[in-house]
Amino acid sequence: MAQTSLLGTSGDAPASDLPDGVATAELFASGAASAVELLDEAIARADRLNPEINAIIGRLDDSARQAAKRHDAARDAGSVGGPLAGVPFLTKDLTCTTEGQPYHAGNAALKDAGYAASSTAHLATMFAALGLVNFGRTNTPEFGLTITTEPTAYGPTANPWNTDHSTGGSSGGSAAAVAAGIVPIAHANDGGGSIRVPAANCGLFGLKPNRGRVSLGPDSGDGWAGFSVDGVVSRSVRDSARVLDGISQPWPGDPYWAPPPSDTFESAAGREPQALRVGLCAHSEWGPTDAACRRAVEAAGQLAESLSHEVEYSHPAEMFHEEFFDHFRTIVSVQNVVMLAGFEEALGRAMSRPDVEGDTWALMELGRDVSATQYLAALEWCHGWTRRLAAWWASHDVLVSPIMAEPPPRLGELRNPETGRGRLNDLLQFTPQFNVSGQPAMSVPLSRTESGLPVGVQFVGPHASEEMLLSLAGQLERAAPWAGRTPPLWAGTA
């Protein structure tokens, strides 16, 4: 029998009966639901589903309820309090800190020490200003360093589409929670694919914003030398667009920021794009690409062509440069040595090999052997490579490619001490390039494997082109809706 709730019905109800974030905010603003009621329902969904997927690793129910009560009081006094006021939300346990709250970044030593954040990130402040009600922290691989969410500290997060498979990483906990319907939107960040890969694996929309679009203050100027940026994963394009409008403000002291849009990102998501010049890249030059991923790109090209876009097979000549990963790895390894030193200072002791996972320690050792001259040379190589890569967009508007070279792998594949690193190289062939270049890129849930696993498709625009990408995403969403696709582990089923 279907169960009735404020958000519609569950049981055999369609996915549309669990509204997206914008619709949930409208329920609150209209008085059809209180923020406390919306929170209680999200908590109930988490209590029921999280034991099966391990998406949420820390709960903040008490502080969330206090925030929900403040939203209710403000609304009753005539002030709605933000464009997403009353919407239940989750933050990834990486970078988005709130002073005094637990912060472990997927690391067992920080967890065992009961480490808490010493400052509140500007991003957390902006999420609160949007009216989002954060009631938990989501799972992440240790320090966000891989594309599967299976940290020693908290254990693996399972994919709601098939719990034998990975959600991706590093925003895998957030993606699993949104895919399962616990919340409509959750925080994510991306330093090598960590928004786009989990979105692809879990059948969600995920936009990696342009470099400098979202402040990393007050503790950081730029993450991973500008490779990393924050955002969200969501079920609808308009949810991501509305959040981006709220978190894309520059803060005093930011080293740089992206050019402002001509209009709101949400309005861009609702309007038709002009005819675009689209280049398809269905294969990697670094290794084989699974047939399901190639078909997804080809089908996306056919859909774009049916929408009057000009489509051809083309990609930047620099996209698969043989030196790329050497320089990428150099920069990331040094950045993580600096990060680890910050945690050592906070803990008041040195961190040794038992304090971190094996792959993390290997990366740290690599970083410690890099000289300042080598680091700056790698950064300069990346800057020159970016200029050569970006030249392709002078004759094209959008690049379409797979997100990963294979569909979602099974849990354990990327954690195998003997074969995991090789499997990582097999999969991660299409996303890190656009962290280095800083361009906006998005995963759109347009395809599935024959067994029903999601396969996302990547769309990459030139610098500061989020408006164009969101317009295209909205058009694709209207032409090939995905809201009705739900995983077996879904909040709308009893």
Side-chain angles (χ1 to χ4, degrees), residues 241-242 245 262-272 467 470-471:
R242 184 172 289 193
D245 279 321
S262 62
D263 200 349
T264 67
F265 292 118
E266 186 172 359
S267 66
R271 65 174 178 257
E272 292 293 303
E467 284 181 278
L470 286 165
S471 291

Side-chain angles (χ1 to χ4, degrees), residues 63-400:
S63 61
R65 189 160 281 108
Q66 293 171 10
K69 289 178 179 177
R70 289 194 295 271
H71 282 302
D72 287 337
R75 186 196 61 188
D76 293 345
S79 174
V80 171
L84 288 168
V87 177
F89 185 67
L90 296 165
T91 51
K92 178 181 177 180
D93 193 26
L94 192 68
T95 74
C96 189
T97 58
T98 297
E99 184 177 359
Q101 289 184 357
Y103 179 66
H104 305 149
N107 174 254
L110 294 175
K111 176 186 176 184
D112 293 344
Y115 182 74
S118 59
S119 64
T120 297
H122 294 334
L123 180 61
T125 300
M126 291 186 286
F127 281 147
L130 277 163
L132 294 163
V133 179
N134 177 33
F135 72 95
R137 299 176 298 120
T138 61
N139 205 5
T140 180
E142 187 173 64
F143 306 131
L145 291 177
T146 190
I147 56 168
T148 188
T149 301
E150 304 176 57
T152 300
Y154 285 105
T157 295
N159 195 321
W161 291 89
N162 184 325
T163 55
D164 291 332
H165 288 260
S166 171
T167 59
S170 62
S171 307
S174 289
V178 174
I182 294 172
V183 291
I185 317 165
H187 166 236
N189 41 42
D190 193 318
S194 292
I195 290 174
R196 291 159 289 161
V197 169
N201 284 9
C202 294
L204 304 175
F205 178 73
L207 171 70
K208 179 193 82 69
N210 198 86
R211 175 179 296 148
R213 182 67 67 196
V214 182
S215 176
L216 289 169
D219 294 335
S220 296
D222 53 11
W224 285 8
F227 298 173
S228 183
V229 65
D230 284 279
V232 295
V233 287
S234 64
R235 294 198 302 269
S236 71
V237 174
R238 67 178 185 174
D239 277 5
S240 286
R242 184 172 289 193
V243 172
L244 189 58
D245 279 321
I247 64 174
S248 60
Q249 54 181 287
W251 285 70
D254 285 348
Y256 50 80
W257 54 86
S262 62
D263 200 349
T264 67
F265 292 118
E266 186 172 359
S267 66
R271 65 174 178 257
E272 292 293 303
Q274 64 182 21
L276 301 172
R277 300 164 297 174
V278 177
L280 301 186
C281 174
H283 299 80
S284 169
E285 296 172 17
W286 287 334
T289 304
D290 187 87
C293 300
R294 298 197 307 269
R295 287 194 297 268
V297 170
E298 291 159 358
Q302 292 169 359
L303 177 59
E305 204 164 40
S306 75
L307 296 170
S308 300
H309 301 298
E310 180 184 333
V311 179
E312 66 173 358
Y313 281 93
S314 178
H315 66 269
E318 291 286 318
M319 188 169 170
F320 302 106
H321 197 291
E322 61 183 4
E323 295 182 30
F324 174 84
F325 270 112
D326 291 338
H327 300 292
F328 178 79
R329 191 177 297 109
T330 293
I331 292 168
V332 171
S333 68
V334 173
Q335 291 284 323
N336 279 277
V337 170
V338 174
M339 175 200 65
L340 193 67
F343 285 131
E344 290 177 331
E345 182 178 355
L347 291 174
R349 67 171 180 85
M351 296 181 78
S352 61
R353 171 64 189 84
D355 290 317
V356 298
E357 298 172 10
D359 286 346
T360 302
W361 190 254
L363 188 67
M364 301 299 177
E365 288 187 320
L366 174 65
R368 291 189 182 104
D369 289 338
V370 175
S371 70
T373 301
Q374 290 170 321
Y375 176 84
L376 289 175
L379 192 57
E380 284 302 311
W381 186 92
C382 289
H383 291 164
W385 173 87
T386 292
R387 290 186 173 92
R388 298 191 299 274
L389 181 87
W392 183 85
W393 275 267
S395 57
H396 297 82
D397 298 303
V398 183
L399 175 69
V400 180

